[in-house]
Amino acid sequence: MSLERPETSESKSVQRHSADELADLLGDLVIGREEHINAPGYVIRPDSVQETLSLLKNEAGFDHLSCLTAEERADRYESIYHMKKFDDPTQEVSVVVPTSKDNPVSQSAEPVFRTADWHEREAYDLVGIEYEGHPDMRRILLPETWQGHPLAKDYDQERPQVVSLREHANPLQEDHRDDQDSETMYLNIGPHHPATHGVLHLECTLDGEQVADVNPDIGYLHRCEEQMCQNGTYRYQIMPYPDRWDYISAGLLNEWAYARAAEDLADIEVPEYAQVIRTMGAELCRIAAHMLAVGTFALDVYGDFTAIFMYAIRDREKAQNILEDLTGQRLMFNYFRLGGVVWDLPEPREEFFEKTRDFLEELPEALEEYHDLITGNEILQSRTIGTGVLPPEVAKNYGATGPVLRGSGVDYDLRRDDPYGYYENLDWNVIVEDGCDNYSRLLVRMKEVEESAKIIEQCIDILEDWPEDERNIQSNVPRTLRPEDDTEIYRAVEGAKGELGIYIRADGTEKPGRFKIRSPCFSNLQTLPEMSNGEYVPDMIASLGSLDIVLGEVDR
C-alpha cells in the first residue's frame, strides 16, 4: 500500500479548448450551438453520439461523463450528456441530442462510457427515449410490467398499475450447460438483507463459491424526488428535499449541491461569513457520514455487531449533537438558504465553540483506536487487501467519484479542483490511495475524517475572530426567483460519497422546467460487478460495503 502523495492538480497542466476549437474538432457533427452556464453546448444528430463523445474523450480529454439528463420538450425529446475532465473539472461541455416526438431513438453512448449504461436505462425508464445499440435496454427503477414513462408529458398519473412478480432465471445456465466441471446457481440477496445497506436486490449467479455474475436490482425506494423538485419553487420549496436523498447524515452536503446550482443560475452571491459556516457544517456532516460508513463496513466484514460499530456510532453521535445545536434538527437539517444560511451560530457562541473543540480534541485518540481495531487488524486486512479491485481507468469509465475513485488512485476532489465555499482559503489535503481495493477505500474515509477535522478547526478559528457587526448570514435574495427561460446549468459539490450534481433548466417560471440529480451512489454502484466477478460471496459483500451506498440517493 503506497502512502506517497500523488500528483496534485496544481502540478497538472491540462490543455484548455475554447468553444470554437471544440466546434472545429467536431466539424460537421455539430448541427447547432447552445450556451449553458459553465459549459458550451453542441447539438448533434441522434446517430452520431458515439463518434462525438469519442472525439471529445480521446482528442480533447473530456474523460468524465458526469451526468445524462433526458427530458421531453414541447416539440422534441432531448438527451444532454454533460462531460468534464478528471484532471480539471472546471472544463465542461454539453452535448445535446434531440430526437423527434414520434420516434425518440438515439444512439447509445455505452460503448464510449460504461457509466452511460445505467444513465440511459434510467432515461428510457422515466422519459421514454430509446438508445440504439445499448447492451441491456430495459427499465431500471420501475418494474418491467410498468405501463408508460412517468416523466413523459402524456403520462397518466391516475392510471392503476399491476406489478407482477417475475420468475428469476439463471442467466448463465445456458453458458455452462455442457461444461461438466462447472455448475452455476442463482442466489437472491435482498432486497431486505443486513448486507445490502437498504432495499437493494442483488441477483447473483454463482459458480461454486465464486461470483460469476451479479446484477444490482434497484428502484425499491424510488420516490420521484426530481419531479417533486420540479413542482417546488426555487426560493423555499426545494431546499427541504436534498436532506432526504442521502438521509444518513450528509444533509448539509446535499443542500449545498442544490444551493450551488440555484445560486449560480440566479446569480446570487453568498456572504463570506456564511460560506465559512457552510464549510464547517458540511465537514461535520462528512465526518458523521464516514463514521457510519466505517462502522457498517466492519459489520459487513465481521458479520456481527462489534465494538467497532458501536464506537463509530458513538463518535457519529457527537458530530450529530453539534449539528443539532447548529441547525435545530438532528437528521433533516434544512439549514441552507439560497444566499446563505437560515440563522447564525447558536448562543452562547463560546459554548458552541468549546463543544466543537472538545469533539475535535478527542477525535485523534478515537481514530487511533479505530486504526488499532480496523486497519491494523490482521483478519480485516486478509479480507480486504486485494479484494474488490477497481483499476483507475475502469473507475473513471464508470464515472465513479468520491472515496471510491480516490481509493483507486485518481486524484479528484471537487472541493479543491472546482472550488466553492471557503475551501480554497484553508489548509487541507486530498486523500488518495492507490491500492484500488476494499482496504484502500476504507483508508481514504478514515484519513478524510482527519482532514475534515482540520478544516473544522480552521473554520472555528475564523468564526471566533469574526467582527460581530459583520456577521452577515444571508445576501439579499428576491422573494420570487424566475431565471430566464431556457437557461441551463449543471453544478456539483463533493458529497460524502462523491460528486453530487444538479442539472436545472429554467423555463421562465418560479419552478424548474427540468430538475435532474446526479447521484454519486448511482454511478458508484454500477462498478459492483466489475469488482465482484470472480470473487467469493463474502468478498462481494465487503465490496458492496466499501462503496458506502445509500439507496435513497441511488433511487432518488
Side-chain angles (χ1 to χ4, degrees), residues 53 63-70 79-84 92-96 109 113 115-116 118-120 122-123 226 398-399 401 412 489-492 499-504 514-519 522-523 556:
L53 266 55
D63 55 352
H64 180 24
L65 177 57
S66 57
C67 184
L68 165 59
T69 306
S79 301
I80 303 171
Y81 296 88
H82 195 91
M83 303 171 69
K84 293 182 179 181
E92 304 172 58
V93 63
S94 290
V95 176
V96 182
F113 290 100
T115 191
W118 277 24
H119 286 265
E120 288 180 346
E122 182 185 338
E226 293 174 2
Y398 275 93
T401 52
Y412 179 81
I489 188 170
Y490 173 80
R491 273 302 203 189
E499 178 180 329
L500 178 59
I502 304 294
Y503 166 89
I504 298 176
R514 180 72 172 100
F515 190 99
K516 167 70 181 175
I517 306 163
R518 191 273 183 198
S519 151
F522 185 76
S523 294
R556 287 153 283 135

Side-chain angles (χ1 to χ4, degrees), residues 359-376:
F359 169 65
L360 297 178
E361 286 174 7
E362 294 170 1
L363 204 51
E365 185 179 348
L367 288 171
E368 192 63 36
E369 206 168 29
Y370 290 130
H371 282 294
D372 290 341
L373 286 166
I374 308 177
T375 58

Side-chain angles (χ1 to χ4, degrees), residues 59-115:
E59 303 296 329
F62 288 94
D63 55 352
H64 180 24
L65 177 57
S66 57
C67 184
L68 165 59
T69 306
E71 59 179 321
E72 183 180 1
R73 307 291 289 270
D75 60 344
R76 64 188 185 280
Y77 285 88
E78 268 189 5
S79 301
I80 303 171
Y81 296 88
H82 195 91
M83 303 171 69
K84 293 182 179 181
K85 298 180 180 180
F86 277 110
D87 287 339
D88 182 4
T90 61
Q91 298 187 47
E92 304 172 58
V93 63
S94 290
V95 176
V96 182
V97 189
T99 57
S100 64
K101 294 279 283 191
D102 55 354
N103 186 31
V105 179
S106 175
Q107 192 177 50
S108 172
E110 193 274 343
V112 185
F113 290 100
R114 287 288 290 121
T115 191

Side-chain angles (χ1 to χ4, degrees), residues 23-44:
D24 291 341
L25 173 67
L26 298 176
D28 294 339
L29 294 171
V30 177
I31 59 174
R33 297 274 293 269
E34 292 183 2
E35 276 303 322
H36 301 181
I37 298 176
N38 306 323
Y42 302 95
V43 184
I44 65 168

Side-chain angles (χ1 to χ4, degrees), residues 204-403:
C204 302
T205 306
L206 305 182
D207 184 0
E209 295 183 17
Q210 290 179 301
V211 177
D213 186 40
V214 57
N215 176 39
D217 177 26
I218 62 175
Y220 294 91
L221 203 54
H222 184 54
R223 297 159 292 166
C224 277
E225 291 276 350
E226 293 174 2
Q227 198 166 33
M228 287 195 286
C229 290
Q230 287 172 198
N231 292 327
T233 58
Y234 290 103
R235 179 76 193 274
Y236 296 111
Q237 295 178 340
I238 296 177
M239 190 58 82
Y241 289 118
D243 284 312
R244 287 154 174 80
W245 304 338
D246 176 358
Y247 43 75
I248 299 298
S249 51
L252 296 186
L253 295 159
N254 293 14
E255 291 177 21
W256 209 339
Y258 168 64
R260 193 181 187 204
E263 285 162 357
D264 282 5
L265 181 69
D267 197 21
I268 298 170
E269 293 288 334
V270 180
E272 196 172 353
Y273 179 71
Q275 294 282 26
V276 181
I277 296 177
R278 282 183 171 189
T279 304
M280 177 191 67
E283 293 310 306
L284 282 164
C285 278
R286 194 179 310 277
I287 290 177
H290 282 358
M291 284 294 177
L292 190 61
V294 169
T296 53
F297 183 68
L299 201 64
D300 290 330
V301 172
Y302 293 121
D304 198 359
F305 278 94
T306 62
I308 303 167
F309 180 82
M310 302 308 294
Y311 286 8
I313 294 298
R314 175 199 64 189
D315 290 319
R316 179 177 180 271
E317 285 292 301
K318 293 177 182 175
Q320 293 288 112
N321 290 339
I322 298 170
L323 285 165
E324 185 176 3
D325 291 344
L326 177 65
T327 68
Q329 306 293 329
R330 194 159 185 86
L331 208 59
M332 306 297 169
F333 304 112
N334 193 17
Y335 180 63
F336 280 25
R337 293 292 180 272
L338 298 189
V341 294
V342 65
W343 50 61
D344 200 350
L345 302 180
E347 295 288 353
R349 291 165 66 91
E350 293 73 18
E351 187 176 311
F352 175 78
F353 291 136
E354 184 180 355
K355 186 175 182 179
T356 310
R357 285 193 188 284
D358 288 344
F359 169 65
L360 297 178
E361 286 174 7
E362 294 170 1
L363 204 51
E365 185 179 348
L367 288 171
E368 192 63 36
E369 206 168 29
Y370 290 130
H371 282 294
D372 290 341
L373 286 166
I374 308 177
T375 58
N377 186 293
E378 188 178 348
I379 296 173
L380 187 134
Q381 288 181 3
S382 66
R383 290 285 315 280
T384 56
I385 294 177
T387 62
V389 174
L390 186 67
E393 289 307 316
V394 177
K396 291 162 74 173
N397 202 24
Y398 275 93
T401 52

Side-chain angles (χ1 to χ4, degrees), residues 64-68 81 86 108-123 134-141 200-203 211 213-218 388-391 393-401 404-405 408 441 497 499 516-533 540 543-551 553-556:
H64 180 24
L65 177 57
S66 57
C67 184
L68 165 59
Y81 296 88
F86 277 110
S108 172
E110 193 274 343
V112 185
F113 290 100
R114 287 288 290 121
T115 191
D117 182 346
W118 277 24
H119 286 265
E120 288 180 346
R121 282 179 61 189
E122 182 185 338
H134 191 284
D136 190 18
M137 194 76 267
R138 59 189 170 92
R139 291 186 182 275
I140 187 169
L141 293 175
L200 170 67
H201 175 206
L202 297 177
E203 300 170 349
V211 177
D213 186 40
V214 57
N215 176 39
D217 177 26
I218 62 175
V389 174
L390 186 67
E393 289 307 316
V394 177
K396 291 162 74 173
N397 202 24
Y398 275 93
T401 52
V404 176
L405 184 67
S408 290
R441 293 183 277 276
K497 295 159 175 44
E499 178 180 329
K516 167 70 181 175
I517 306 163
R518 191 273 183 198
S519 151
C521 294
F522 185 76
S523 294
N524 290 349
L525 184 56
Q526 263 190 285
T527 65
L528 184 63
E530 291 282 348
M531 298 159 61
S532 303
N533 291 351
M540 183 191 69
S543 298
L544 177 62
S546 76
L547 292 176
D548 184 27
I549 58 166
V550 59
L551 271 300
E553 196 174 88
V554 173
D555 293 351
R556 287 153 283 135

